[in-house]
Amino acid sequence: MKRFHSSDSLAAFISSEEDRTQKTNQGYSRDFQAMLNSLEEEDYNEETSHVSEKKRRLSLHQVKALEKNFEVDNKLEPERKLKLAEELCLQPRQVAIWFQNRRARWKTKQLERDYGTLKVNYEDLKLDYSNLEQKNEALAQKAKELKAKLREEKG
């Protein structure tokens, strides 16, 4: 597979963004960061595998540029899509599909985070409820004892 080179303006954008990304890596999920790391290690020659002949893979440079643009806005305007496609030597349809797939992955991760948060909140509420039930039972028992004591004193 042939590697494509970007325009100078895109290269400047990526290098400045890479510096900022190193400071703010928490924006990426661990899974995505692992994928980027594996892309850095992988050689994009035609000999890498049979898959590379069938499925076009994006270069690390292209993926990073698309990620930076996704961070800015996860929706693509037609002009922005055309500009990105031209700068990255991709078809506009490839850029559109990449954004669509990335939004789907983002949504899945967001649902997982939301589920985790709800689960923790549920467990906390369940524990609070259990504690309140125990306190209620203890108070009910104490009330019975006090009533019994009151009856003994009257009777």
Side-chain angles (χ1 to χ4, degrees), residues 65-71 73-76 80 84 94-104:
L66 290 166
E67 272 299 322
K68 298 302 174 201
N69 277 278
F70 185 84
E71 285 178 10
D73 189 10
N74 67 0
K75 298 283 185 175
L76 271 178
R80 190 166 150 231
L84 259 176
Q94 287 177 286
V95 174
I97 289 171
W98 186 92
F99 266 76
Q100 184 179 9
N101 292 339
R102 184 65 177 89
R103 278 192 303 273

Side-chain angles (χ1 to χ4, degrees), residues 21-45:
T21 300
Q22 290 173 350
K23 296 174 188 170
T24 60
N25 265 346
Q26 67 270 12
Y28 293 118
S29 68
R30 286 186 209 136
D31 294 339
F32 185 76
Q33 193 62 43
M35 184 190 78
L36 281 180
N37 292 340
S38 71
L39 284 175
E40 288 173 347
E41 296 169 3
E42 189 174 323
D43 186 19
Y44 287 95
N45 293 331

Side-chain angles (χ1 to χ4, degrees), residues 137-155:
E137 288 174 15
L139 288 172
Q141 183 63 31
K142 194 170 188 178
K144 282 182 184 179
E145 291 170 5
L146 290 173
K147 284 181 184 179
K149 207 178 219 184
L150 186 62
R151 280 189 217 123
E152 287 176 13
E153 290 177 4
K154 285 184 179 181

Side-chain angles (χ1 to χ4, degrees):
M1 180 176 262
K2 187 176 180 180
R3 278 197 154 176
F4 297 105
H5 298 286
S6 68
S7 66
D8 291 339
S9 64
L10 183 60
F13 173 74
I14 295 299
S15 64
S16 67
E17 288 295 319
E18 285 176 348
D19 293 342
R20 193 171 61 143
T21 300
Q22 290 173 350
K23 296 174 188 170
T24 60
N25 265 346
Q26 67 270 12
Y28 293 118
S29 68
R30 286 186 209 136
D31 294 339
F32 185 76
Q33 193 62 43
M35 184 190 78
L36 281 180
N37 292 340
S38 71
L39 284 175
E40 288 173 347
E41 296 169 3
E42 189 174 323
D43 186 19
Y44 287 95
N45 293 331
E46 290 178 359
E47 299 88 32
T48 54
S49 69
H50 296 291
V51 175
S52 63
E53 293 173 16
K54 295 178 185 175
K55 182 177 180 180
R56 286 187 165 184
R57 300 210 179 225
L58 301 177
S59 70
L60 178 62
H61 171 73
Q62 290 168 326
V63 171
K64 283 186 175 184
L66 290 166
E67 272 299 322
K68 298 302 174 201
N69 277 278
F70 185 84
E71 285 178 10
V72 172
D73 189 10
N74 67 0
K75 298 283 185 175
L76 271 178
E77 297 296 323
E79 307 83 38
R80 190 166 150 231
K81 175 176 60 177
L82 292 172
K83 184 180 176 193
L84 259 176
E86 184 179 321
E87 289 176 347
L88 298 174
C89 300
L90 297 171
Q91 295 295 317
R93 182 83 179 125
Q94 287 177 286
V95 174
I97 289 171
W98 186 92
F99 266 76
Q100 184 179 9
N101 292 339
R102 184 65 177 89
R103 278 192 303 273
R105 287 191 307 271
W106 177 84
K107 185 178 179 181
T108 301
K109 290 291 181 187
Q110 187 62 42
L111 287 172
E112 289 173 0
R113 285 189 293 270
D114 291 347
Y115 173 77
T117 301
L118 287 172
K119 187 175 180 182
V120 167
N121 290 342
Y122 171 76
E123 294 297 328
D124 289 345
L125 287 172
K126 190 175 168 183
L127 184 62
D128 289 346
Y129 180 77
S130 177
N131 290 337
L132 287 173
E133 274 187 326
Q134 289 175 355
K135 286 180 183 179
N136 191 24
E137 288 174 15
L139 288 172
Q141 183 63 31
K142 194 170 188 178
K144 282 182 184 179
E145 291 170 5
L146 290 173
K147 284 181 184 179
K149 207 178 219 184
L150 186 62
R151 280 189 217 123
E152 287 176 13
E153 290 177 4
K154 285 184 179 181

